Amino acid sequence: MDMTAEDLILTDFVEFATGSQFAASSHAPPRPPPSDLRAVHWPSPWPWLREADSWQELAAVPGRGDGWGMCGDKPVPGAADRDPSQVEVWRYRLEPRGALNARDGGGGVEGVLVRVAGGVGCLQPWPSLGDDPLDVHLAALAAGRVTPLAARALGCARADGQARRGGRWLFAGLAVPPSHAILPGTPSAGAIVAAAREGVGVVKVKAGPDWRQRLEAWAGACALPDVRLRLDFNETLDPGEAAAMVAAVARWLGPGVDFIEDPCPFDRDVWARLESSSGLRLAADRACARPGADRFLGVLKPAVEDADAVVAAAARSGRKLVVTTNMDHPVGQLWAAWHAARAASAGVLAGPCGLLTHTLFAEDEFSRRLSVSGGVLIGPPGTGLGYDDLVQALPWRRPDPPT
């Protein structure tokens, strides 16, 4: 198909962000690639690029996807230095209604919307979970480099921009799947039950080292047959404490637990023992970066990972996924919802998704336009991901250069 100047600029980002000379894009590489990748210099730091010996092998590597690479947050040379004026940002701050996870230090959450060629994406790192701070990503963009986390935002901007220029709403013809409810802080049994009955019966709760003090509330909620819990520990326990936790949860909550996410730092053998000893399912967040995690339920964040590649790999292997937001801006929520709808069509979902994270934050002009019906996130109409008037009115600016 014919490509606009904006499409070519964005495809340049895709092709050069990891140093490669090709991408899964809508135009052909400028010249035939060599048959042996060992003859090619790969500046990318990711082993899955360096270790592929052929284009056929590289095409089969999960996460190659749109050419941006997979997980990580180290600066990668990109085509932004060819025309840095193409990238603009708008900085935002989300105000949580309560503690967001066991590693959360409190206070507001900062991120940026990124605009390229009229398309918009969301870039919001979580330093408490190991991401580089936001200013590191912005300094990289200002210097003409693209970090992998920024690359995911620019991938969103590309899809959003193409739809906006074509006058299309990205959700046309798609059915967004339902989501679990999610509660901040340390909710009571009553709050958990109310959230479950208002939605689809599944509630996600952030957990941590204080799990013993919270076990009674969880057990009280799960005593009702129409309530199921998803407990996310964000790797805050050590293996020994995780073993004690899964034993207690299995005893007191039993079938009321849908799964336990990231109970302790990932180790395939440790996690396998936790599952077999308790009979509970474990789920791995940001699973694409963890060798061996494919035997466990996967939590897919399109803001962090190459969603199309992860879904394609899951469809081949039979792995089940839960698509969630990155607890980010409503634009990021809708990007996750779009991928969740596509994952549902691929038949790889393991029940409800995690798309309702706007409820964790104080309302703003973007979240005010979201609604929920039967656990399903409903975004605003318009072109692309929506918010046409708000996006147009934002005070966009270039990222500040590093000092």
Side-chain angles (χ1 to χ4, degrees):
M1 76 178 190
D2 293 336
M3 299 190 72
T4 66
E6 290 89 350
D7 288 330
L8 290 172
I9 290 166
L10 286 165
T11 302
D12 277 344
F13 272 116
V14 172
E15 291 185 348
F16 290 96
T18 60
S20 67
Q21 297 298 315
F22 78 103
S25 63
S26 53
H27 77 296
R31 57 184 179 274
S35 59
D36 191 340
L37 293 185
R38 287 170 291 189
V40 180
H41 172 63
W42 293 100
S44 169
W46 291 292
W48 59 265
L49 277 178
R50 293 199 302 269
E51 295 172 4
D53 291 336
S54 69
W55 291 94
Q56 290 76 16
E57 281 187 34
L58 187 59
V61 174
R64 179 191 60 90
D66 61 8
W68 288 107
M70 291 174 66
C71 301
D73 51 13
K74 302 305 178 187
V76 180
D81 57 359
R82 292 185 168 197
D83 192 353
S85 66
Q86 291 298 314
V87 182
E88 298 175 301
V89 300
W90 173 71
R91 197 159 187 151
Y92 66 80
R93 180 182 175 91
L94 304 177
E95 297 296 341
R97 297 181 187 272
L100 297 176
N101 59 62
R103 296 182 181 273
D104 178 36
V109 181
E110 292 193 336
V112 294
L113 296 187
V114 176
R115 184 170 71 168
V116 184
V120 180
C122 177
L123 169 58
Q124 184 183 296
W126 283 94
S128 62
L129 300 179
D131 294 333
D132 279 336
L134 178 61
D135 285 343
V136 171
H137 301 276
L138 295 178
L141 284 173
R145 301 195 307 275
V146 180
T147 66
L149 199 61
R152 298 267 71 83
L154 292 171
C156 173
R158 182 173 192 270
D160 177 71
Q162 287 177 336
R164 289 183 191 276
R165 291 190 295 276
R168 294 181 294 106
W169 188 41
L170 274 176
F171 291 96
L174 293 177
V176 176
S179 290
H180 59 236
I182 183 167
L183 298 175
T186 56
S188 65
I192 294 171
V193 171
R197 290 179 171 171
E198 185 177 346
V200 294
V202 182
V203 180
K204 183 172 182 176
V205 174
K206 294 288 187 172
D210 64 345
W211 63 268
R212 287 180 175 84
Q213 289 72 48
R214 302 175 63 183
L215 192 60
E216 183 177 354
W218 299 342
C222 290
L224 300 177
D226 56 347
V227 178
R228 300 190 75 194
L229 278 181
R230 293 174 171 178
L231 303 177
D232 183 2
F233 282 82
N234 291 113
E235 297 187 346
T236 53
L237 307 182
D238 61 36
E241 186 70 357
M245 179 273 295
V246 297
V249 167
R251 178 182 179 188
W252 294 105
L253 278 64
V257 177
D258 190 25
F259 61 75
I260 296 178
E261 183 177 341
D262 289 350
C264 58
F266 180 75
D267 180 289
R268 179 187 171 98
D269 294 335
V270 169
W271 280 36
R273 287 195 295 271
L274 293 176
E275 277 198 338
S276 62
S277 66
S278 65
L280 301 173
R281 288 196 302 176
L282 300 189
D285 191 7
R286 303 192 181 197
C288 72
R290 303 176 179 189
D294 54 350
R295 67 153 289 172
F296 303 98
L297 187 68
V299 177
L300 168 60
K301 288 182 166 63
V304 177
E305 305 173 89
D306 184 344
D308 286 337
V310 174
V311 168
R316 291 192 298 269
S317 68
R319 186 187 193 189
K320 295 300 182 182
L321 304 171
V322 176
V323 180
T324 77
T325 77
N326 198 33
M327 294 197 299
D328 48 3
H329 190 275
V331 167
Q333 270 185 267
L334 292 171
W335 180 235
W338 185 70
H339 277 290
R342 288 154 58 91
S345 298
V348 299
L349 293 184
C353 293
L355 307 173
L356 307 183
T357 49
H358 64 292
T359 61
L360 297 173
F361 301 99
E363 193 177 68
D364 61 25
E365 58 184 345
F366 282 87
S367 62
R368 197 172 295 122
R369 297 191 186 185
L370 299 176
S371 60
V372 180
S373 178
V376 175
L377 179 69
I378 302 171
T383 59
L385 292 171
Y387 296 121
D388 296 28
D389 59 326
L390 293 183
V391 166
Q392 186 65 30
L394 291 177
W396 298 99
R397 57 179 293 176
R398 280 285 300 137
D400 292 328
T403 58

